[in-house]
Amino acid sequence: MKYIFTIFFISLSTISFSQDNLSLEYYLPKNITYNPEIPTPQSILGYIPGKWHVTHDKLVNYMQALAVASPRITIEDRGKTFEDRPLLLLTITSEKNHSNLKEIQKKHVELTKSDSNRLNIDDLPAIVYQGFSIHGNEPSGSNASIIAAYYLAAAQGKEIEELLKNVVILFDPSFNPDGLQRFAYWANTNKSKNISTDPQDREYSEIWPGGRTNHYWFDMNRDWLPAQLPESQARITTFHKWYPNILTDHHEMGPNSSFFFQPGIQSRTHPLTPKLNQELTKKIANHHVKALDNIGSLYYTEENFDDFYYGKGSTFPDINGGVGILFEQGSSRGHAQQTDNGILTFPFTIKNQFTAALSTLEAAKSMRKELLEYKRDFYNNARKEESKGTYIFGNEKDAASSYHLAEILKRHQIQLYEIKQDLTIQNKNFKKGYSYVIPKNQRQKRLLKAIFEKRTTFQDSLFYDISAWTFPLAFNLDFADNISSIDFGDEILDLTHRKTIPITKSNYAYLLEWHEYYTPRALYQILSKGIRAKVGTKPFSLENKDYDYGTILIPVQNQKLDKDELHVLLQKIGLDNHVDITNVSTGLTNGIDLGSDKFRPLSTPKIGLLTGNGITPYDSGEIWYLMDQRYDIPITKLTTGNLTKIDLSTYTHIILPNSQKESINSQNITKIKNWIHSGGTLIGYRNAAQFFKDKDLMKIEFVAIKNDAKNISFEQKQDFFGAQVIGGAIFEAKIDRSHPINFGYKNDKIPLFRNTTLFIKPDKQSYNNPIQYTKTPLLSGYISKKNLDSLSGTIPFKYNQLGKGKVILFTDNTNFRAFWYGTNKLLMNAIFFSNEM
C-alpha cells in the first residue's frame, strides 16, 4: 500500500504541475532564505529551469553571472570542445576556503604521498567533484546544475555555511557541451504549447545520431581512462590536481525507470577496488535514501550497473583513492511523457537530480574525516603492496604509437623513463627513443596495474561494459612485465615525439617504411599533392638497410615537382608526421628492384562513410574521428536515407560501419552492387557480415552456436544469456605479413578487440585467411567457454572480388573508442592497398 500511495502521489503531483506556474520553490529546500544579490536562474535564462531545456550558451551565461555575483564561486575555462564551446569549472566553497585554496589543494595531493601521515586533517575540507550530463540527451543533470549552483551561491544560514566550510565543490555543469546543445535544440524545437505526453510524439524520438554523444559521436562516459578527447583531458587534469574524495556522475535511463544510485551489483566490482570503497558508497547512499524519501521519489540500488571498467566516470575515482557515484534518473526525454509511473515531467527529473546533488554534499560534510582518511589509507596501503620490478613497452618500428601510450600515462601522473640503450628482453627488441620504462613501485601503482593488467578470471560473468582494456595490447606494442632490473635513463618530464632523421636530397628516389603510426597521413599528403608513389609488395634491402612489406617508393623523375621542390615537400611531410623518409641513389636492390612490377602504383582515395538511420553512431564516429583528426584525410559522410540521390561514382571506397540489416533498402543495395562491379571497394564492419551474406556480396559460413539452457530457472534466464555476450575482450590472431591488409605490422601475431559473437569459418585456401584467431586466442577479458571454443581458428577478416571491385569485411572494431591505436592501420591498409589484394 505504501508503494501504491507513493506512485499515486508522484503521478498526482506531476499531472497537476503546470509549467506555466513553475517556480524555484518547486525545487529548493523549504524554510531557507536566499541572498537577493545573487541572480536567480530566470533573471539570466529568461525562464524557470524545466520550462525549456537549457542550451549550453545560456548555461555558460548563468554560471558566469553567478561567479561575478558570488564570493563563494570562482570560474575557469579549461579548454574547448570540438565545436569550440568552453569547458567550464566552478569552484564553490566558503570565502575563507577560497582565500586558502592553493594550500587546501596542496594538502589533498600530499594525502596521496608517502609522508601523508604527518598531515593534520582535522580542519581539511573534503573535495567533491560534481559533474552533470556526460550524455547530452540525459539533460536533467545539467539543468539541475543551474538550481544547485544557485542554491550554493545564494542560500543563507548556518547549514549552508557549515557545508561550504567543510567541502570544496569542483562543479562541472556540463560534461558534454556539444551533446547538450544538440539535444536542447531538438527538445525545444519540437515542444508544443500543449505539451504532448504521448511517447510516440516526435519530441521524444530525436533524429540520428541523437544528442547522447560529443561532436564525433563518442560516448564521453567511456573515455575517463583513455582520455583521448578534449572534454576528457580537461576533467582528468582537474581530477589529478585534486584527487577528489567523491565524484558524482548524473545520468538518465529509460522513462519507465525510477531513480538509481550506487552501489550497484557489488559482485561485479573490479578486484583492484578496495572493499571499503563499496562500504563507503553504501554509507553515502543512506543520505540519498533520506533525501529522496523526503520528497516521495521512488528509487532503487544494488540491482543494476557495476564498478568494473575504470574508464567510466563513476568508477574512475575508485582506483584513485576516491568514491565514484553514479546517478540514473528515469528520463522524460523531452518535457513530459506518459510512463509506467504516470506522467514524468522534465521538472520532476531535475528535482531528483538536484536532491541527489545536495544529499551527496551532505554526505561529504558528515563523512569528511572518514573520506580523507580513506584517501590517505588507499595510497599508504598501495605502497605496502609488493610491486618489484618494472614494465617496459615499445615498438622498434613505430615510435608514435609508443609515444601515445606514454602520453596517456603522463596524463594520469604515472612516472615513466627513457631506456639508456637498446635492449632485448624476452625475445623482444626495445629501441632507445621508441620505448619506455615504468617502475611499478610508484604512487599511482594501482592505476598503473589497472591500465596494464591482463585478466581472464572473474567473480561474475556479466559486465555493464567491457571486461578488458589492456593498453599495451590496444596499442599493439611489445611489452615485458616483471623485469627485475633495467638501467633507467632520465625520467620523462616533457614528453615529445621522436625526432625524425633529416632527409638528404636525392636525384633518384625516396623510401618511406610503412610501420610508423602516421605513415597513412604522410602517404595521403604525398598523393594529394599529385606526387606519384608506389607500394612494395615484397621485402628488399638497399644501401645497407632492410625494407619490409608495404614500403612506399617516391621516384624523383616524372613528378609534378622538380627534385628541389620534391625534397622540400617530403622534408616537411616527414617532420609533420614523425616519419623517416630515406633518400636512395640507385634502384638496384637485394630483392625486388625499384623498377619492379612488384612496386604497385597508388592513387588518392576518395572515401565515403555511411551514416544515418540503422548505422551505429559510435562506430561511424570513431571512423570519422580517425580520418578527420588523426590522419587529416577528407571523408564524406553519406546518409543512408539519401543514398538514392548520391552519385557513388565519385568515391573509390565506401565504409559501412556496424549497422542493422534494414539500414539500406533494396534499391540502394542494387546501386551499391553496381558501384562495386564498376570498381568500387566496400568496407564493412561487424554486423555488416550478415548483410554481406544476405545480399550475396560475400560468401560467408558462420559457426553455429547453440545456447541450450539446462537446469536454468526462469529467474536465471537473463543472466544465462548475458553470460554469452562478449561485452569487450582481447584476442590473439596470427597474421600473414605478406598480405597487403597486414602491411606495416612487424610481428606475426596481433591483439584484436572483439565485442561480437560473429564467428566466421576460415577459407579452405590458407592464403585467403591473412588474419586468423589462434587455437587459444584469449589474451584478456571475459568470454564464455562455449564462445571461446567457437572463436578458436575463425577469421575476423574476409575479402571478396566482385566484378572490378572489392568487398572487405572486418568482424571486429579496429577503431574502438579512439584508443585502439594498434589496429587502426588495418583500415588504412584496406583503403590504400585494396587493389593489391
Side-chain angles (χ1 to χ4, degrees):
M1 177 63 73
K2 179 179 73 172
Y3 297 107
I4 294 173
F5 174 79
T6 305
I7 292 172
F8 173 77
F9 172 80
I10 293 170
S11 300
L12 183 63
S13 64
T14 54
I15 290 171
S16 62
F17 189 83
S18 168
Q19 289 192 340
D20 291 332
N21 58 19
L22 183 63
S23 68
L24 281 183
E25 284 70 29
Y26 173 72
Y27 302 110
L28 295 172
K30 304 295 187 288
N31 302 319
I32 293 179
T33 59
Y34 294 89
N35 183 351
E37 300 296 320
I38 302 300
T40 61
Q42 60 267 34
S43 69
I44 303 297
L45 303 179
Y47 59 87
I48 301 289
K51 181 178 182 180
W52 296 97
H53 284 253
V54 72
T55 55
H56 188 259
D57 53 337
K58 287 193 172 186
L59 181 69
V60 168
N61 290 344
Y62 185 62
M63 296 302 164
Q64 289 173 336
L66 282 181
V68 170
S70 173
R72 298 173 180 175
I73 297 178
T74 58
I75 193 168
E76 61 179 300
D77 184 345
R78 298 170 295 169
K80 303 293 181 186
T81 69
F82 286 115
E83 295 177 13
D84 282 333
R85 292 191 173 87
L87 296 166
L88 297 185
L89 181 77
L90 284 67
T91 302
I92 308 175
T93 191
S94 68
E95 292 183 62
K96 182 178 178 181
N97 284 341
H98 268 297
S99 67
N100 196 34
L101 208 57
K102 286 187 178 180
E103 185 63 22
I104 294 171
Q105 181 182 352
K106 180 183 175 183
K107 287 182 177 179
H108 268 272
V109 174
E110 287 178 352
L111 279 176
T112 70
K113 296 182 178 179
S114 57
D115 58 350
S116 61
N117 287 331
R118 67 176 179 79
L119 283 177
N120 184 345
I121 60 173
D122 289 345
D123 298 319
L124 184 63
I127 308 299
V128 178
Y129 192 138
Q130 292 192 300
F132 301 89
S133 297
I134 202 164
H135 297 141
N137 63 356
E138 300 177 3
S140 58
S142 283
N143 283 267
S145 78
I146 299 167
I147 310 293
Y150 172 72
Y151 171 83
L152 293 170
Q156 295 178 316
K158 184 178 179 181
E159 186 174 334
I160 187 68
E161 289 174 3
E162 190 70 16
L163 171 65
L164 295 177
K165 172 188 172 184
N166 285 282
V167 182
V168 173
I169 305 154
L170 307 175
F171 196 86
D172 197 330
S174 175
F175 273 147
N176 181 4
D178 295 347
L180 183 74
Q181 186 83 8
R182 190 159 65 245
F183 181 74
Y185 163 81
W186 176 263
N188 290 338
T189 55
N190 286 286
K191 177 187 177 183
S192 301
K193 182 184 76 170
N194 299 298
I195 295 174
S196 171
T197 61
D198 185 345
Q200 299 181 94
D201 190 277
R202 174 180 166 88
E203 180 179 348
Y204 310 111
S205 300
E206 55 182 321
I207 58 172
W208 193 98
R212 177 181 177 87
T213 55
N214 78 337
H215 176 79
Y216 283 99
W217 310 332
F218 280 89
D219 185 335
M220 299 293 295
N221 196 39
R222 302 300 185 268
D223 194 43
W224 286 78
L225 200 59
Q228 295 299 294
L229 307 168
E231 300 93 334
S232 310
Q233 291 166 12
R235 62 179 183 257
I236 289 300
T237 298
T238 297
F239 187 96
H240 287 297
K241 284 181 178 178
W242 287 94
Y243 295 99
N245 303 104
I246 299 175
L247 184 146
T248 59
D249 192 12
H250 292 255
H251 289 251
E252 291 182 2
M253 50 186 168
N256 292 319
S257 301
S258 58
F259 191 86
F260 169 86
F261 50 85
Q262 285 181 307
I265 300 176
Q266 294 173 66
S267 63
R268 301 176 194 168
T269 301
H270 197 288
L272 291 178
T273 299
K275 289 184 179 179
L276 182 55
N277 173 281
Q278 293 293 294
E279 294 172 15
L280 290 172
T281 305
K282 291 181 77 170
K283 193 170 181 179
I284 293 169
N286 291 331
H287 292 266
H288 309 322
V289 168
K290 181 180 178 181
L292 292 167
D293 282 348
N294 189 49
I295 64 170
S297 286
L298 294 177
Y299 53 83
Y300 71 99
T301 184
E302 298 189 75
E303 297 175 38
N304 204 346
F305 305 101
D306 64 42
D307 273 327
F308 191 84
Y309 173 48
Y310 288 122
K312 295 187 300 179
S314 59
T315 310
F316 179 75
D318 299 344
I319 196 65
N320 285 284
V323 178
I325 305 291
L326 170 68
F327 296 117
E328 292 274 356
Q329 164 64 47
S331 179
S332 64
R333 284 289 186 265
H335 290 86
Q337 190 175 160
Q338 182 66 50
T339 74
D340 291 347
N341 294 321
I343 296 176
L344 178 62
T345 69
F346 184 40
F348 183 75
T349 68
I350 295 172
K351 185 173 184 176
N352 276 348
Q353 297 277 27
F354 168 68
T355 300
L358 292 196
S359 62
T360 301
L361 297 177
E362 179 60 33
K365 183 189 75 173
S366 65
M367 296 171 60
R368 178 188 63 82
K369 197 165 183 179
E370 192 173 5
L371 291 165
L372 293 171
E373 288 173 344
Y374 172 73
K375 179 162 76 170
R376 175 159 58 189
D377 291 345
F378 177 94
Y379 285 96
N380 282 339
N381 291 335
R383 272 183 286 274
K384 297 174 186 176
E385 295 168 0
E386 186 175 352
S387 52
K388 296 178 181 177
T390 61
Y391 298 109
I392 184 170
F393 68 87
N395 184 327
E396 62 179 323
K397 297 287 188 179
D398 180 7
S401 289
S402 301
Y403 164 87
H404 283 298
L405 176 50
E407 187 180 41
I408 293 173
L409 300 176
K410 289 290 291 180
R411 200 166 277 138
H412 288 298
Q413 305 298 305
I414 291 171
Q415 294 174 293
L416 62 157
Y417 296 78
E418 297 176 342
I419 57 173
K420 279 191 173 181
Q421 59 191 15
D422 296 354
L423 299 169
T424 299
I425 301 173
Q426 299 174 1
N427 297 318
K428 300 167 185 173
N429 296 324
F430 296 96
K431 188 175 177 181
K432 181 177 170 60
Y434 292 70
S435 305
Y436 301 89
V437 179
I438 312 168
K440 292 183 179 181
N441 189 23
Q442 59 173 289
R443 180 171 63 97
Q444 290 289 73
K445 65 167 67 174
R446 284 178 172 170
L447 177 59
L448 174 60
K449 186 175 182 180
I451 289 172
F452 275 31
E453 73 168 1
K454 298 178 185 178
R455 185 177 293 274
T456 56
T457 57
F458 302 88
Q459 181 181 353
D460 201 304
S461 58
L462 302 179
F463 300 87
Y464 183 70
D465 200 74
I466 60 177
S467 61
W469 52 87
T470 313
F471 277 57
L473 298 180
F475 283 74
N476 190 34
L477 299 174
D478 292 328
F479 170 62
D481 192 359
N482 295 324
I483 309 305
S484 58
S485 62
I486 293 179
D487 194 6
F488 288 18
D490 295 330
E491 182 179 357
I492 298 171
L493 301 176
D494 296 313
L495 185 67
T496 58
H497 277 282
R498 174 187 67 91
K499 292 182 179 180
T500 56
I501 299 171
I503 306 171
T504 304
K505 185 167 63 176
S506 175
N507 295 321
Y508 192 82
Y510 297 91
L511 295 174
L512 167 62
E513 291 188 274
W514 193 243
H515 295 105
E516 279 283 358
Y517 182 80
Y518 288 107
T519 47
R521 189 169 70 186
L523 177 58
Y524 186 85
Q525 291 172 2
I526 291 167
L527 295 174
S528 65
K529 294 293 185 182
I531 304 301
R532 291 189 305 109
K534 296 184 175 185
V535 59
T537 58
K538 288 189 175 183
F540 61 95
S541 299
L542 178 60
E543 297 177 346
N544 299 316
K545 184 174 180 180
D546 295 331
Y547 293 89
D548 206 349
Y549 298 103
T551 296
I552 305 301
L553 164 66
I554 305 107
V556 172
Q557 302 302 318
N558 298 322
Q559 296 284 14
K560 288 176 61 176
L561 304 180
D562 64 33
K563 61 183 180 182
D564 292 328
E565 293 171 325
L566 181 62
H567 174 248
V568 171
L569 175 66
L570 294 180
Q571 187 84 271
K572 184 178 188 309
I573 288 174
L575 187 65
D576 291 348
N577 296 290
H578 320 293
V579 298
D580 293 328
I581 300 176
T582 306
N583 72 305
V584 293
S585 58
T586 178
L588 184 63
T589 77
N590 182 10
I592 55 170
D593 293 333
L594 300 193
S596 167
D597 62 4
K598 295 298 186 293
F599 277 94
R600 307 295 300 158
L602 298 170
S603 56
T604 309
K606 174 70 173 175
I607 307 164
L609 173 66
L610 289 175
T611 65
N613 290 339
I615 306 294
T616 304
Y618 297 158
D619 294 51
S620 50
E622 288 160 358
I623 295 168
W624 177 24
Y625 173 84
L626 178 71
M627 297 295 182
D628 197 38
Q629 288 290 329
R630 292 263 176 85
Y631 288 140
D632 285 327
I633 296 176
I635 189 166
T636 302
K637 300 183 293 299
L638 308 173
T639 305
T640 52
N642 203 34
L643 272 180
T644 307
K645 304 174 183 178
I646 292 172
D647 179 9
L648 298 183
S649 67
T650 61
Y651 306 102
T652 59
H653 297 75
I654 293 176
I655 303 172
L656 173 61
N658 188 60
S659 57
Q660 300 170 5
K661 287 192 291 185
E662 63 272 17
S663 59
I664 302 174
N665 63 35
S666 56
Q667 181 182 357
N668 288 323
I669 290 168
T670 301
K671 184 174 183 177
I672 289 173
K673 281 185 175 180
N674 290 337
W675 170 79
I676 296 171
H677 276 278
S678 298
T681 297
L682 179 63
I683 302 169
Y685 276 98
R686 302 210 290 155
N687 287 349
Q690 191 65 56
F691 174 80
F692 284 3
K693 179 180 180 179
D694 293 346
K695 306 307 177 185
D696 297 322
L697 292 169
M698 183 177 277
K699 291 183 179 180
I700 298 175
E701 188 176 359
F702 293 108
V703 175
I705 303 173
K706 291 184 178 180
N707 285 322
D708 297 327
K710 297 179 180 179
N711 301 316
I712 301 296
S713 68
F714 180 80
E715 182 184 18
Q716 297 168 325
K717 175 183 174 182
Q718 185 174 356
D719 287 354
F720 169 75
F721 284 104
Q724 302 308 314
V725 172
I726 304 176
I730 307 170
F731 303 93
E732 179 184 69
K734 59 183 180 180
I735 64 174
D736 173 1
R737 295 181 57 251
S738 71
H739 195 286
I741 197 63
N742 296 317
F743 284 178
Y745 291 100
K746 71 178 185 65
N747 298 331
D748 60 3
K749 291 186 175 66
I750 188 171
L752 298 175
F753 176 85
R754 165 174 278 262
N755 57 359
T756 73
T757 53
L758 294 167
F759 308 138
I760 297 177
K761 292 182 180 180
D763 193 90
K764 293 179 180 179
Q765 309 301 328
S766 61
Y767 52 76
N768 287 331
N769 305 315
I771 309 176
Q772 185 172 15
Y773 285 113
T774 57
K775 187 176 180 180
T776 54
L778 180 61
L779 292 174
S780 187
Y782 170 80
I783 183 174
S784 69
K785 185 180 184 305
K786 184 180 296 184
N787 281 333
L788 183 59
D789 292 342
S790 299
L791 178 66
S792 175
T794 61
I795 56 172
F797 167 84
K798 198 168 178 63
Y799 167 88
N800 184 43
Q801 185 86 24
L802 201 63
K804 296 179 181 179
K806 295 95 185 166
V807 181
I808 293 174
L809 172 69
F810 295 100
T811 62
D812 302 333
N813 186 350
T814 63
N815 316 294
F816 184 66
R817 291 183 182 168
F819 79 95
W820 211 268
Y821 279 72
T823 49
N824 288 159
K825 195 167 284 182
L826 291 175
L827 173 58
M828 306 317 298
N829 289 348
I831 291 170
F832 283 111
F833 308 140
S834 54
N835 288 335
E836 319 316 321
M837 296 181 188

